[in-house]
Amino acid sequence: MKTLRKMWAAINRHMTLLRLLFVFSVLLYVIHEVGRDIQQISGQEVAETFSQQTPTSLLLMLVVGFIAVTPMLNYDFNIVKFLPGKFKKGYVIRSGWTVNTFTNIAGFGGLLGASLRANFYSKGATRKQILFAISKIALFLVTGLSLLCWIALFQIFVLHTGSVFARYWIWMVGGALYFPTVMLVTHFTDSDFFNDLTLKRQLSLMAGSSFEWLFCALFFIFIGALMGVKVDFAAVLPMFAVASVAGVVSMIPGGLGSFDTFMLTGLGFIGVGKADALVWLLFYRIFYYILPFLVGVLFFIQDTGSKINHAFEGLPMQLFQRIAHVFLTVFLWFSGVMIILVSTFPHLQEYNKVYGALYGYVVYFANQAINIIMGFLLIGLARGVNSRVKRAFWPTTVVLIMAALNTMWKDPSIKMSVFLVLVLAALWLSHKEFYREHFEYSWGAMLFDGISFVGIFVTYIIVGVYNTPNYQRMHHVPRAALFPTERVWLSGLIAIAIALVVLAIVYWYMHNGKSTIFKVPFDERRVAHVIDTYGGNEVSHLAYLRDKLLYFYTVDGEDKMFFMYQKKADRLIVMGEPVGDQQYRDAAIDNFMDVADKEGYSIVFYEIDEDLTMSLHEKGYDFFKFGEEGFVNLPSFSMQGKKRKSDRNLMSKFDRVGITFEELKPPFDADTLHELRVISDEWLDGQNESGFSLGFFDDYYLDQSSIYVMRSAEGKILAFTTNMPTHSGISSIDLMRYGKNAPSGTMDVMFIHLLQHNAEAGFEDFNMGMAPLSNVGVSRFSFIEERIAHLIYEYGYRFYGFQGLRNYKEKYVTSWHGKYIAYRRRNSLVFTMLQITMVVNAKRVTNKKEKRLLIFHAKN
């Protein structure tokens, strides 16, 4: 007895090695037997049997094969009942499919299945709980095979069906005994291990296992029936049971080789030819093991990728989506261009080897005209895909699926099939990139597309000239540019015209929408509420110009901040810093950026301070120093000293002739406004007014604050400037204009009066306004774009001398503070500056009421 115990202990210590030796010996036997069987099979017969299968038969095998795998999911729905974690049905289905299809291919005695289930279902469970749950499930994995063995024994020895397989009775009896053994162990073993293994759960597991093995056997028989094999299919079931038991006992993953050896031999016993039997088994392996396994691989990659993505805070998925999105955009544009080229140059594939090699990765359509239309459509969709427009997704999906089907119908190949699968996979992977509500054409995209389309049209016309008989008689024409007939060329020209209409419709469809979020006009009540409640800034008063749209940021239904902006192409050009409660500044900017991005717009911040510029830089913005804003420290301002002697003399001169300084309070009567307008028109001298960042003459705007005037001794207004409330302890002005009758030095005297007046009113600083492009882009080391931007803006303002303006303000300014333009990285600074210049210099139209008022005063 002692010797037996020692032998048993030695066996346990070396159990792993003994298992490996057993599996290795079985593998050698299987390889020998399979090799011998294959030598007896004709390769030509196998190929003919494969080729005889119809697409319908293969499709049915695919569908039924996947259905046959589904009962195995029962194990996973049961295993989660033993564990404390909560798992969604979709997650259990994906995980269960992965585990079972992996185990079918490479079970390793259940080790792989146990490892995968421990990985998928470990949430909230201890290692012991997971191990116990997996062990309980493992007990019932082959109970279905055991029941199948009972059915096989009944067939052979009672119904006498498949009696030829009676020689394998020991295999069937061995398999059949497993089921009652499990029932006895689970019901009569007093162990905590089986406490939660209720009868209901046992029956559920046995039912799942029974359906698994029964579906598996029936699917095998179903394949034979689809192949048209002439055999008694009822007799196949016993042999399938025997072969399955042999596969399980061999411990080879999926019973590979051992199952096949038994089935090849057994099918031969009932009259199935070797070639038919081999193809039968190959179809079984492909549709029950390999294809479901590939789907399981996709689920595993998704799950693993999801965990990695979560661990790295979503960056890997964003990277994959971006790569897929770029690939899809390039493919659409590339395909569109290539299709149009081959329609323009019919023999280009033969003439140019590089083009011929690349054209193999392009989708095909029916004929030249449709190719041209679809080529332009693909280019248009590429623009929508690149812009991440929601409305581009489904049209792109439909076009790509149609193109893929048409391509495979015309020229089926494995290489093209794999490539098109990659394209569709890229479309699916990048679907979350399509989040924008509208398509907005940027100037860069418009310029690129315009040049491309004009180039295509001109090239096609030139090719048409090449194809005229008169030209060909006098010149050699490359074969790539020759058309079969003039009619083909003309149909292509008509197709280009149709394509441009289709393209316009596509752009209209992607751009069109019901959004009104960026169409909010001036709202005096809301603007006044924000400014009065939270204070303004140096540009808040410009809201009353009513030349800008407004975006309000609200919290719990209350307006906290607003942005003033104008639209130009795909840019929202924001004037200055946001106005309102500054504790919400970053949240308001993030909200504005998110909404703008979703609507297809890019935001440009114009004339902002350094603090906001640095904050925006962290949000992905580049910046450009636009100029400097001058401030006068009022408490330190004095007219005393040698430096102010000329100013004192000028003030004395104006006092002697009776010119006085006065502040006028609103509202203003019509006569006053008319008098001010006459001065303004004299100052403008026929030029259009600028706006956006500067005030312009508008009755409503002038009526919102006080106006400072210089009057002659006779009481006539000579010059005026408008007060610009900032609500922030800083005083400022906007319009400064003088008439033809104003004596020299009028504006200097007005400035001195303004500084003295605001100092007496208790203000700390006086904002003298901007000195645009001061010390910007003038160094030879400056970026080339900054130097170009400097020129654009300097010549864009037609009646401002920037250097002179800086020198004039320098007489009074105490300190200069930088002002910046912030724009999204990768956006063109040159285009940005052009758009800002256009917004600032937009023509101001006098409204009808003001025109009638001017006519009335002119007559009187």
Side-chain angles (χ1 to χ4, degrees):
M1 193 68 178
K2 190 175 180 181
T3 304
L4 288 174
R5 286 200 192 98
K6 287 183 179 180
M7 289 176 62
W8 182 250
I11 290 171
N12 280 331
R13 283 197 304 271
H14 300 91
M15 184 59 71
T16 302
L17 178 61
L18 292 173
R19 283 179 179 173
L20 289 173
L21 288 172
F22 173 74
V23 172
F24 183 68
S25 62
V26 172
L27 275 173
L28 289 176
Y29 169 76
V30 166
I31 291 168
H32 176 267
E33 292 298 316
V34 171
R36 189 179 65 179
D37 287 336
I38 288 176
Q39 288 177 356
Q40 301 172 15
I41 299 172
S42 168
Q44 185 177 354
E45 289 180 15
V46 173
E48 288 177 0
T49 305
F50 255 109
S51 63
Q52 290 169 5
Q53 308 312 309
T54 64
T56 304
S57 297
L58 295 174
L59 181 62
L60 284 171
M61 289 181 196
L62 176 66
V63 173
V64 177
F66 274 71
I67 292 172
V69 173
T70 54
M72 289 190 284
L73 299 177
N74 174 69
Y75 303 132
D76 294 84
F77 277 106
N78 273 284
I79 199 171
V80 295
K81 294 177 182 177
F82 293 105
L83 298 172
K86 300 295 181 183
F87 303 93
K88 294 181 179 179
K89 286 184 179 180
Y91 179 80
V92 176
I93 290 171
R94 292 193 303 272
S95 303
W97 189 279
T98 303
V99 170
N100 291 293
T101 54
F102 274 51
T103 304
N104 277 350
I105 290 286
F108 297 112
L111 180 62
L112 179 62
S115 301
L116 287 172
R117 285 191 170 102
N119 173 65
F120 286 128
Y121 307 125
S122 60
K123 184 176 73 173
T126 64
R127 186 174 180 180
K128 182 179 179 181
Q129 286 175 316
I130 296 169
L131 182 62
F132 273 31
I134 292 171
S135 301
K136 290 166 189 174
I137 297 297
L139 283 173
F140 293 87
L141 293 179
V142 292
T143 52
L145 176 59
S146 182
L147 292 173
L148 199 64
C149 289
W150 283 108
I151 295 171
L153 289 168
F154 182 78
Q155 278 187 270
I156 293 171
F157 295 106
V158 178
L159 301 179
H160 304 291
T161 302
S163 300
V164 67
F165 301 122
R167 69 187 72 183
Y168 298 113
W169 66 270
I170 192 168
W171 292 90
M172 288 179 272
V173 170
L177 290 175
Y178 183 81
F179 169 66
T181 303
V182 169
M183 293 301 292
L184 289 171
V185 169
T186 56
H187 281 84
F188 295 100
T189 302
D190 186 15
S191 172
D192 293 337
F193 181 78
F194 298 114
N195 283 345
D196 55 353
L197 198 58
T198 63
L199 180 61
K200 182 179 178 181
R201 288 182 178 177
Q202 289 183 45
L203 292 175
S204 173
L205 288 167
M206 285 188 288
S209 180
S210 299
F211 279 114
E212 174 200 347
W213 289 99
L214 185 62
F215 276 35
C216 187
L218 293 177
F219 176 59
F220 186 84
I221 294 170
F222 179 73
I223 292 172
L226 287 177
M227 290 174 60
V229 179
K230 305 299 182 183
V231 70
D232 180 9
F233 289 110
V236 176
L237 188 64
M239 192 60 227
F240 185 87
V242 171
S244 297
V245 171
V248 171
V249 171
S250 70
M251 292 190 293
I252 298 173
L256 185 63
S258 53
F259 171 86
D260 306 89
T261 301
F262 272 80
M263 286 307 299
L264 280 172
T265 304
L267 291 173
F269 288 162
I270 55 176
V272 180
K274 291 285 186 182
D276 287 337
L278 182 61
V279 173
W280 193 344
L281 283 164
L282 285 173
F283 279 142
Y284 174 65
R285 288 294 181 185
I286 290 169
F287 292 106
Y288 187 79
Y289 287 89
I290 296 174
L291 293 181
F293 169 73
L294 293 177
V295 174
V297 169
L298 292 177
F299 286 151
F300 181 76
I301 292 172
Q302 181 192 23
D303 179 77
T304 305
S306 177
K307 290 177 179 177
I308 294 173
N309 188 57
H310 179 74
F312 288 93
E313 300 179 350
L315 288 177
M317 180 54 71
Q318 289 181 20
L319 179 62
F320 278 119
Q321 288 175 347
R322 292 285 171 86
I323 292 172
H325 177 256
V326 170
F327 170 74
L328 185 64
T329 303
V330 171
F331 171 75
L332 288 170
W333 187 87
F334 169 78
S335 292
V337 171
M338 296 286 272
I339 290 169
I340 293 170
L341 278 175
V342 83
S343 299
T344 305
F345 301 96
H347 305 286
L348 188 60
Q349 288 173 268
E350 305 166 18
Y351 189 78
N352 189 300
K353 291 182 179 180
V354 174
Y355 183 89
L358 293 175
Y359 194 72
Y361 294 96
V362 176
V363 290
Y364 309 106
F365 294 95
N367 54 48
Q368 184 212 23
I370 294 178
N371 272 335
I372 290 175
I373 294 170
M374 295 305 291
F376 274 91
L377 181 59
L378 287 173
I379 291 174
L381 290 173
R383 181 60 64 195
V385 170
N386 183 58
S387 299
R388 298 177 169 87
V389 182
K390 276 184 183 179
R391 289 187 165 207
F393 179 74
W394 284 114
T396 303
T397 303
V398 171
V399 169
L400 282 179
I401 290 174
M402 289 173 56
L405 293 174
N406 185 71
T407 302
M408 296 313 301
W409 176 68
K410 290 181 68 176
D411 185 22
S413 68
I414 294 176
K415 179 185 74 172
M416 196 62 186
S417 300
V418 171
F419 181 72
L420 289 173
V421 167
L422 287 175
V423 172
L424 293 174
L427 177 64
W428 173 80
L429 188 61
S430 64
H431 74 281
K432 288 186 178 179
E433 292 286 304
F434 295 82
Y435 63 88
R436 289 191 175 129
E437 300 292 338
H438 308 287
F439 170 70
E440 296 293 337
Y441 230 146
S442 69
W443 280 10
M446 200 179 298
L447 179 64
F448 180 84
D449 289 351
I451 292 172
S452 300
F453 297 150
V454 170
I456 290 169
F457 182 77
V458 171
T459 302
Y460 197 82
I461 296 296
I462 292 171
V463 169
V465 173
Y466 281 178
N467 278 269
T468 57
N470 292 335
Y471 187 89
Q472 291 185 36
R473 280 196 295 270
M474 300 175 63
H475 303 86
H476 169 70
V477 179
R479 184 168 177 271
L482 290 174
F483 273 83
T485 64
E486 290 182 10
R487 181 180 297 177
V488 173
W489 179 86
L490 183 61
S491 70
L493 185 63
I494 295 170
I496 289 177
I498 296 171
L500 290 174
V501 174
V502 170
L503 201 60
I505 293 171
V506 169
Y507 287 154
W508 172 84
Y509 168 74
M510 292 191 297
H511 171 77
N512 195 34
K514 298 179 180 179
S515 174
T516 59
I517 196 162
F518 291 124
K519 298 178 182 178
V520 178
F522 174 74
D523 187 323
E524 182 179 6
R525 179 187 57 82
R526 297 179 72 179
V527 168
H529 167 75
V530 173
I531 294 176
D532 294 343
T533 306
Y534 304 108
N537 57 27
E538 64 266 28
V539 299
S540 58
H541 192 68
L542 294 176
Y544 294 103
L545 284 171
R546 302 174 297 171
D547 67 335
K548 292 174 275 292
L549 297 170
L550 302 175
Y551 180 82
F552 289 91
Y553 176 70
T554 62
V555 177
D556 298 328
E558 182 186 1
D559 294 330
K560 296 293 185 181
M561 300 198 89
F562 68 83
F563 298 79
M564 300 178 289
Y565 67 94
Q566 281 195 16
K567 291 192 290 186
K568 181 59 66 174
D570 67 327
R571 309 284 171 86
L572 301 181
I573 301 172
V574 176
M575 181 61 234
E577 291 89 7
V579 181
D581 191 345
Q582 293 304 308
Q583 69 172 321
Y584 292 102
R585 189 190 71 174
D586 286 343
I589 290 172
D590 288 342
N591 173 261
F592 190 27
M593 288 169 59
D594 287 340
V595 174
D597 187 47
K598 185 177 283 189
E599 294 293 321
Y601 293 103
S602 174
I603 300 177
V604 176
F605 290 86
Y606 175 63
E607 286 192 19
I608 58 175
D609 62 22
E610 185 176 333
D611 179 60
L612 180 56
T613 301
M614 292 300 101
S615 178
L616 289 170
H617 186 61
E618 294 178 1
K619 299 178 189 293
Y621 276 71
D622 277 336
F623 59 90
F624 164 70
K625 186 178 179 183
F626 172 67
E628 294 179 333
E629 193 171 46
F631 289 85
V632 181
N633 183 256
L634 294 176
S636 64
F637 177 75
S638 172
M639 290 294 293
Q640 303 303 313
K642 188 176 181 180
K643 184 180 179 182
R644 297 293 179 193
K645 182 178 179 180
S646 61
D647 290 334
R648 292 195 299 272
N649 293 335
L650 187 62
M651 293 284 286
S652 298
K653 176 183 174 183
F654 272 66
D655 288 340
R656 285 194 300 270
V657 297
I659 297 176
T660 58
F661 173 82
E662 181 183 353
E663 181 179 9
L664 305 180
K665 299 286 187 178
F668 305 110
D669 57 45
D671 291 334
T672 301
L673 289 172
H674 173 67
E675 191 174 3
L676 295 174
R677 182 176 286 280
V678 170
I679 293 172
S680 177
D681 289 344
E682 289 178 354
W683 183 81
L684 289 170
D685 194 23
Q687 299 283 351
N688 291 323
E689 294 195 87
S690 294
F692 190 66
S693 62
L694 301 169
F696 52 85
F697 198 98
D698 175 77
D699 292 355
Y700 174 83
Y701 179 62
L702 266 63
D703 217 30
Q704 302 306 309
S705 66
S706 59
I707 298 176
Y708 304 104
V709 299
M710 298 295 291
R711 288 189 186 275
S712 67
E714 294 79 22
K716 187 177 180 181
I717 298 177
L718 300 173
F720 72 90
T721 182
T722 59
N723 183 31
M724 192 172 181
T726 65
H727 304 271
S728 60
I730 299 173
S731 59
S732 186
I733 55 172
D734 191 7
L735 279 71
M736 289 192 70
R737 296 181 180 181
Y738 53 89
K740 293 178 179 178
N741 296 324
S744 175
T746 298
M747 301 315 290
D748 287 291
V749 173
M750 177 170 275
F751 255 123
I752 294 169
H753 278 298
L754 284 170
L755 296 175
Q756 291 176 335
H757 175 80
N758 284 283
E760 291 171 4
F763 288 98
E764 287 291 319
D765 293 288
F766 183 85
N767 186 343
M768 292 284 287
M770 286 287 297
L773 302 178
S774 177
N775 300 322
V776 176
V778 294
S779 169
R780 68 186 183 90
F781 299 108
S782 299
F783 292 120
I784 187 67
E785 280 198 325
E786 289 184 345
R787 301 188 72 179
I788 294 172
H790 176 92
L791 292 174
I792 289 171
Y793 203 85
E794 184 165 6
Y795 289 104
Y797 270 115
R798 289 183 289 274
F799 37 81
Y800 277 89
F802 293 122
Q803 195 60 43
L805 186 63
R806 167 84 183 207
N807 292 338
Y808 178 78
K809 293 181 178 181
E810 195 78 64
K811 295 191 298 181
Y812 307 101
V813 167
T814 309
S815 61
W816 293 95
H817 299 164
K819 284 289 184 177
Y820 300 84
I821 294 172
Y823 58 99
R824 287 298 300 270
R825 195 168 294 145
R826 294 187 299 274
N827 283 356
S828 168
L829 176 59
V830 173
F831 283 152
T832 298
M833 293 303 299
L834 282 170
Q835 289 165 333
I836 289 172
T837 303
M838 291 178 69
V839 166
V840 171
N841 286 324
K843 188 175 181 180
R844 309 295 156 193
V845 179
T846 306
N847 62 45
K848 291 180 180 179
K849 182 179 178 181
E850 290 172 335
K851 282 184 177 180
R852 288 196 298 268
L853 193 62
L854 286 173
I855 293 170
F856 172 79
H857 282 288
K859 289 180 177 179
N860 294 278

